[in-house]
Amino acid sequence: TPGATLGRAREVATRGDDGDGRNGDGDGDEGARRRFSARRIVKGIARDALCDAVADVDSYAAFVPFCAGARRTPRERWGREREREALARGEEYFEADLEIGFKLFNEKYTSAVTCARPERVTATSVSSGLFRSMTTTWKFSPLDDDEDEDPVTGLPAEGVIVDFEIDFEVKDPMHAAAVSVVFDDVARSQIQAFEKRCRQLALRGGLERDGD
């Protein structure tokens, strides 16, 4: 199985006001909101498989930096209205309990996760002491102008554009200043970890090429 070739596209990170006015909720906590975004091109791995890797929350603690714990929340604790709304949109829904730790911070929170396979995975915090809001979005789009060849088949290699974005706002302005110093590194290291995870799974034959 061909491995994944990643990191070919430019990466863009934004701090503070992201240009569309989303720099807080108007309560005077200027700079409390941050957004990080990045784009990668993945070769040799199907969109479905990439989506599966991101949605596999139970495996996060084994390979995602700064993740001290992750598991699907028991269904009886899910927000029923959130689940109904996701199902009405034709999306998969579950909730996840996560624990992250970086520098002086250790935070446990719950996220509502929706999967619109194979295009998108979105996780939105619904319970957190540190974050007023936090939304992580992964988008997977076919690369239309792909001209590279698969070294095994000689056919055009499948290409997927992976867009990653995390948008968060910290409740305490003092915490916001400290988190913002390290957050770009935290987000970048997580992207790199998912890239490595995809390569490892591909080498083990765990990711099958999409037959579309």
Side-chain angles (χ1 to χ4, degrees):
T1 302
T5 302
L6 304 105
R8 291 189 173 186
R10 73 183 189 279
E11 182 175 71
V12 178
T14 59
R15 297 169 181 260
D17 188 344
D18 54 24
D20 60 3
R22 296 188 301 164
N23 62 343
D25 60 1
D27 60 2
D29 294 347
E30 183 178 358
R33 191 161 201 159
R34 292 289 186 272
R35 183 174 72 171
F36 176 94
S37 61
R39 170 168 287 189
R40 293 282 192 265
I41 292 178
V42 178
K43 294 296 185 78
I45 298 179
R47 287 196 298 163
D48 286 287
L50 289 164
C51 189
D52 288 345
V54 173
D56 185 16
V57 173
D58 289 329
S59 297
Y60 278 14
F63 72 95
V64 178
F66 309 103
C67 181
R71 68 182 183 91
R72 288 201 179 202
T73 308
R75 188 172 183 182
E76 58 269 19
R77 289 171 45 200
W78 294 3
R80 293 306 182 191
E81 184 60 29
R82 290 190 295 268
E83 182 181 14
R84 282 193 293 269
E85 291 175 356
L87 294 178
R89 295 191 300 268
E91 299 175 344
E92 175 187 345
Y93 180 88
F94 63 90
E95 295 188 10
D97 298 320
L98 300 104
E99 180 178 359
I100 56 174
F102 51 93
K103 301 296 183 180
L104 301 177
F105 297 101
N106 187 275
E107 171 71 1
K108 294 181 179 180
Y109 63 97
T110 299
S111 282
V113 183
T114 58
C115 301
R117 299 178 184 272
E119 292 86 10
R120 184 178 66 256
V121 179
T122 303
T124 303
S125 63
V126 294
S127 175
S128 173
L130 177 62
F131 298 102
R132 178 175 287 119
S133 65
M134 180 167 60
T135 300
T136 302
T137 305
W138 294 80
K139 295 181 181 179
F140 311 99
S141 308
L143 182 63
D144 295 331
D145 59 351
D146 186 13
E147 297 180 354
D148 289 353
E149 290 186 352
D150 186 302
V152 176
T153 66
L155 298 174
E158 179 182 27
V160 179
I161 301 171
V162 180
D163 286 299
F164 170 86
E165 179 179 292
I166 182 165
D167 185 307
F168 73 96
E169 185 176 1
V170 179
K171 295 179 179 179
D172 188 328
M174 294 183 63
H175 287 165
V179 171
S180 66
V181 172
V182 300
F183 194 77
D184 281 355
D185 288 339
V186 171
R188 290 176 194 275
S189 66
Q190 289 194 358
I191 297 172
Q192 294 167 359
F194 277 101
E195 294 174 354
K196 182 178 179 180
R197 176 72 168 177
C198 288
R199 291 192 187 100
Q200 292 173 338
L201 292 175
L203 289 173
R204 295 205 305 262
L207 297 181
E208 298 180 356
R209 296 175 63 84
D210 195 339
D212 294 345

